[in-house]
Amino acid sequence: MGTETASVGISEPLLHDSDKISPLQSVDDDDQVPEWKDQITLRGLVVSALLGTLFCIITHKLNLTVGIIPSMNVGAGLLGFFFVKSWTGLLSKLGFSVAPFTRQENTVIQTCVVACYGLAFSGGFGSYLIAMDERTYNLIGADYPGNRAEDVKNPSLWWMTGFIFVVSFLGLFSLVPLRKVMVLDYELTYPSGTATAMLINSFHTNTGVELAGKQVRALGKYLSISLIWSCFKWFFSGVGDSCGFDNFPSFGLTLFKNTFYFDFSPTYVGCGLICSHIVNCSVLFGAILSWGFLWPLISQYAGDWYPADLGSNDFKGLYGYKVFIAIALILGDGVYNLVKIITVTFKEIRNKSSKQSNLPVVNEVLDGDSSEVTLEQKKREEVFLKDRIPTWVAGAGYVGLVAISTATMPIIFPPLKWYLVLGSYVLAPALAFCNSYGTGLTDWNLTTTYGKIGLFIIASLVGRDGGVIAGLAACGVMMSIVSTAADLMQDFKTGYLTMSSAKSMFISQLVGTAMGCVIAPLTFWLFWTAFDIGSPDGPYKAPYAVIFREMAILGIEGFSELPKHCMAMCCGFFVAALVINLLRDVTPKKISQFIPIPMAMAVPFYIGAYFAIDMFVGTVILFIWERLNRKDAEDYAAAVASGLICGDGIWTIPSAILSIFKVNPPICMYFGPSLSS
């Protein structure tokens, strides 16, 4: 995921100076490229299913808590290498003959895992799907205009699984014919895919074996530490939501009330290690701006700007400012980047066309080194183009899936009529191309932005009678297509650089998507059954559920019921997001690198500041590490971060099982003011 780099559209290019890297490195001359069938193995699929389950759990946890999903492509490649190498090493010691583990098999595993856990994000389990449920409806309020009891559809394992199946494969077929254009003709970078390919290539060369082993050991060490720490924390977390290290008033009780505290979360610290410094600092800046200044200031006007006796989750009070100002920042950032990506895309396409039509003929004399690189590149292109996926297969697959989906979607969501579904699928390939091209240029995946376009258009077309459900469902259709299309192209780039067959990559995407259609709903159901999902006072607030439902309501109702001055403030923050993005683009890099990202700033406006503290701790650790030993930081930061995130994610499984069986932690550790003597 480039997908996940951006999960909520928050990402920074992983590789800023592409001219300083050589993705052509680490490929041995005597490498024999296996046939595409040999690149897909039973052990690889088993490992993919295990890792897909783990990464789905991690994605759900992040989706339901803060909504920020870091890119885990590198972690998927690293863990795939670790599991298969451990398995083959064990069998070899026992005297069994095992097939060699190739870079192509490693790439297939990584592709399969990314396709699987990508559906935990684009499937809407933390956003548009649970925005339909009764809890979100009640949270907004039965008396809120446009929020109708008829527009409620509670989660069910069966209809969610069916929905994911009918929409998730379309993106894979929409852009397959353009793989040569995107990867070879336009030479798009796809930074996350390139970084993953470099990692996998380094694992499978003699020079990279030692480093790979050290990275795997670092990952295992911090995974164990994170797992043990998460287990230890559980014993003190009591019953309810005010106990334990998760509610530790690190900076005093006054700041704790304004959500400023460190909650000792390995997951968020790991996210801080993976996400770029500017993302982490933007999140902290947004937390300070909102919870440090804006909300305390607005709360002083209770009784004037809004009724003072409202509940903490009433949209006609302070809660309304929190949600709608966050929406304004998110939309401002999304609109700016959407226009930017589309503009850059068409400009680049036009430039490529003019260059190709005016290329001078030059007989180039190559020296030894450049000749070797050219031969290496030709070999990659031959492998990439060898196993073609016929255009008619892609076309027939897309048309067939459109027919199935157009017939099925109105059954699952009656307000979403068949002609609206069909119209979405006619428009979707163009948007999928824009998103895939933009991801290749910048590593920014704007999946949620395209989803919001579908949400607003369909909600406004359907109107008050069912517009909320129809808009949210259309958002899911659009997000699934543009997300999987961008993931596919990103993985094609990884496959090209690791000499993996395009056919094996496409099939592994299909298999991974099929796994995700089963695993993502099942792992979400584990959370839904075990925890109080959507409770604003609980650990799994599902913040984007409220935001997405409010967007659908805005699409049909407008802004009439907002509290005093809320609309003016929303307009101000929307314009501010546009201006900040413009400044990031027009100022020199030495200045722009310190300008915050509005999308990242918006997240804590609604959720709170605690996770921003955790992520900032991660970025401080990385910053100091880079100053002390930059090479070690570059080599091991992703492995350490993956270990921290995975260990905490693994503990989610036993903690959910304990919760299902009503086994509560034995101790409640809480804090209060000291008593005067």
Side-chain angles (χ1 to χ4, degrees):
M1 255 170 141
T3 100
E4 293 74 43
T5 323
S7 27
V8 289
I10 298 176
S11 71
E12 278 287 292
L14 296 181
L15 304 174
H16 295 283
D17 301 313
S18 57
D19 56 327
K20 295 181 182 178
I21 64 169
S22 174
L24 301 179
Q25 66 185 13
S26 323
V27 181
D28 298 335
D29 292 333
D30 58 352
D31 263 357
Q32 294 298 318
V33 178
E35 290 296 318
W36 72 267
K37 293 180 182 178
D38 298 327
Q39 297 174 23
I40 304 172
T41 63
L42 179 60
R43 69 186 179 193
L45 296 179
V46 172
V47 168
S48 298
L50 291 173
L51 291 180
T53 302
L54 172 60
F55 279 50
C56 277
I57 290 170
I58 293 169
T59 303
H60 286 316
K61 182 173 182 179
L62 291 171
N63 242 340
L64 297 171
T65 50
V66 298
I68 294 180
I69 317 294
S71 174
M72 292 186 281
N73 296 42
V74 169
L78 181 59
L79 281 170
F81 176 82
F82 166 68
F83 276 109
V84 177
K85 271 294 185 182
S86 300
W87 175 246
T88 55
L90 176 63
L91 289 180
S92 296
K93 288 181 180 179
L94 294 175
F96 291 96
S97 176
V98 292
F101 181 43
T102 63
R103 75 185 72 237
Q104 289 79 16
E105 186 180 354
N106 202 161
T107 305
V108 164
I109 292 172
Q110 181 267 339
T111 300
C112 208
V113 173
V114 170
C116 179
Y117 86 81
L119 294 185
F121 164 66
S122 64
F125 298 101
S127 54
Y128 60 85
L129 279 192
I130 57 173
M132 303 177 185
D133 82 333
E134 191 172 1
R135 180 185 288 278
T136 308
Y137 160 76
N138 289 327
L139 196 58
I140 294 175
D143 59 340
Y144 193 86
N147 190 37
R148 307 186 317 149
E150 293 86 349
D151 292 326
V152 168
K153 190 173 183 64
N154 286 313
S156 162
L157 186 59
W158 300 112
W159 75 255
M160 288 192 305
T161 303
F163 167 74
I164 297 298
F165 261 109
V166 297
V167 301
S168 296
F169 291 91
L170 282 143
L172 301 180
F173 288 92
S174 61
L175 294 187
V176 166
L178 298 180
R179 65 185 178 87
K180 177 179 179 294
V181 174
M182 305 283 264
V183 175
L184 298 183
D185 297 344
Y186 290 144
E187 298 179 340
L188 296 176
T189 308
Y190 288 103
S192 291
T194 300
T196 306
M198 291 175 64
L199 180 79
I200 292 173
N201 279 337
S202 71
F203 286 166
H204 297 272
T205 57
N206 294 330
T207 54
V209 168
E210 184 179 354
L211 175 61
K214 290 179 178 178
Q215 288 174 324
V216 167
R217 285 192 290 274
L219 186 146
K221 175 183 175 182
Y222 284 92
L223 185 150
S224 302
I225 292 173
S226 176
L227 179 61
I228 293 169
W229 171 247
S230 299
C231 177
F232 175 77
K233 283 202 307 177
W234 178 83
F235 284 93
F236 299 92
S237 58
V239 180
D241 304 309
S242 59
C243 306
F245 287 93
D246 290 339
N247 296 277
F248 197 99
S250 319
F251 310 113
L253 291 173
T254 302
L255 286 174
F256 177 79
K257 291 177 182 176
N258 281 340
T259 71
F260 283 95
Y261 56 91
F262 179 55
D263 71 351
F264 299 91
S265 168
T267 294
Y268 303 147
V269 173
C271 288
L273 282 167
I274 289 181
C275 292
S276 66
H277 293 308
I278 189 59
V279 168
N280 296 317
C281 292
S282 299
V283 171
L284 182 64
F285 178 70
I288 294 171
L289 178 63
S290 55
W291 291 89
F293 294 99
L294 194 57
W295 306 151
L297 179 64
I298 293 176
S299 64
Q300 294 178 10
Y301 293 93
D304 180 12
W305 288 11
Y306 59 90
D309 57 347
L310 295 177
S312 60
N313 300 312
D314 195 313
F315 277 85
K316 296 179 182 178
L318 183 61
Y319 192 67
Y321 294 97
K322 295 177 183 178
V323 171
F324 285 100
I325 290 177
I327 290 174
L329 272 174
I330 291 170
L331 289 179
D333 188 280
V335 167
Y336 180 90
N337 281 290
L338 177 64
V339 173
K340 172 186 169 183
I341 291 299
I342 291 176
T343 303
V344 170
T345 297
F346 285 107
K347 183 179 177 181
E348 286 290 321
I349 292 172
R350 190 173 64 249
N351 289 344
K352 291 283 185 181
S353 300
S354 61
K355 285 178 184 178
Q356 288 174 358
S357 61
N358 296 290
L359 285 178
V361 178
V362 177
N363 293 321
E364 188 175 0
V365 179
L366 301 173
D367 59 26
D369 291 338
S370 60
S371 177
E372 184 179 339
V373 171
T374 302
L375 289 173
E376 188 66 56
Q377 188 167 343
K378 285 183 177 179
K379 184 178 179 182
R380 291 175 186 275
E381 292 178 3
E382 287 174 6
V383 172
F384 187 70
L385 298 174
K386 177 184 175 184
D387 299 311
R388 294 182 178 275
I389 302 157
T391 303
W392 69 266
V393 171
Y398 190 79
V399 171
L401 289 169
V402 165
I404 294 171
S405 186
T406 302
T408 307
M409 288 290 286
I411 298 174
I412 302 174
F413 306 107
L416 188 63
K417 304 303 181 184
W418 68 268
Y419 49 85
L420 296 175
V421 179
L422 185 60
S424 299
Y425 288 137
V426 171
L427 177 64
L431 298 181
F433 173 81
C434 291
N435 191 41
S436 299
Y437 199 105
T439 303
L441 289 173
T442 66
D443 214 35
W444 282 75
N445 190 330
L446 301 180
T447 292
T448 53
T449 302
Y450 291 102
K452 288 164 198 161
I453 293 173
L455 186 155
F456 280 115
I457 292 175
I458 300 300
S460 61
L461 287 175
V462 174
R464 295 190 178 188
D465 188 15
V468 170
I469 292 292
L472 291 169
C475 174
V477 169
M478 204 62 69
M479 279 182 62
S480 296
I481 292 176
V482 300
S483 176
T484 52
D487 284 350
L488 178 66
M489 286 301 163
Q490 185 108 254
D491 288 328
F492 272 145
K493 180 70 174 185
T494 304
Y496 165 69
L497 295 174
T498 57
M499 292 192 181
S500 302
S501 165
K503 187 175 288 187
S504 70
M505 299 297 292
F506 182 66
I507 292 175
S508 65
Q509 274 275 354
L510 289 174
V511 173
T513 302
M515 287 180 180
C517 289
V518 176
I519 294 172
L522 282 174
T523 48
F524 170 76
W525 202 246
L526 179 70
F527 280 88
W528 183 261
T529 306
F531 304 112
D532 195 12
I533 302 298
S535 170
D537 301 317
Y540 297 100
K541 296 178 176 65
Y544 281 91
V546 169
I547 288 176
F548 271 72
R549 189 173 184 92
E550 276 295 340
M551 286 181 183
I553 292 172
L554 284 178
I556 58 176
E557 289 290 330
F559 300 89
S560 58
E561 292 297 312
L562 298 183
K564 195 174 181 180
H565 302 304
C566 184
M567 183 59 189
M569 296 175 73
C570 287
C571 291
F573 276 93
F574 181 87
V575 173
L578 299 177
V579 172
I580 290 171
N581 273 301
L582 183 62
L583 288 174
R584 284 178 56 82
D585 284 339
V586 300
T587 54
K589 186 175 180 181
K590 63 181 180 180
I591 298 174
S592 65
Q593 63 181 334
F594 298 108
I595 299 176
I597 302 169
M599 183 78 77
M601 288 171 53
V603 180
F605 270 63
Y606 172 64
I607 301 169
Y610 59 93
F611 80 96
I613 304 295
D614 294 1
M615 292 180 68
F616 189 71
V617 168
T619 213
V620 168
I621 292 171
L622 181 61
F623 180 81
I624 295 172
W625 193 357
E626 287 173 338
R627 291 300 175 272
L628 295 175
N629 192 326
R630 176 169 289 275
K631 186 177 186 308
D632 271 7
E634 290 175 352
D635 288 343
Y636 299 111
V640 171
S642 298
L644 291 173
I645 294 171
C646 291
D648 199 21
I650 290 172
W651 172 249
T652 302
I653 302 173
S655 88
I657 293 171
L658 290 170
S659 178
I660 291 171
F661 287 101
K662 309 299 181 186
V663 178
N664 296 316
I667 302 170
C668 174
M669 180 179 71
Y670 67 95
F671 299 85
S674 60
L675 299 176
S676 57
S677 55

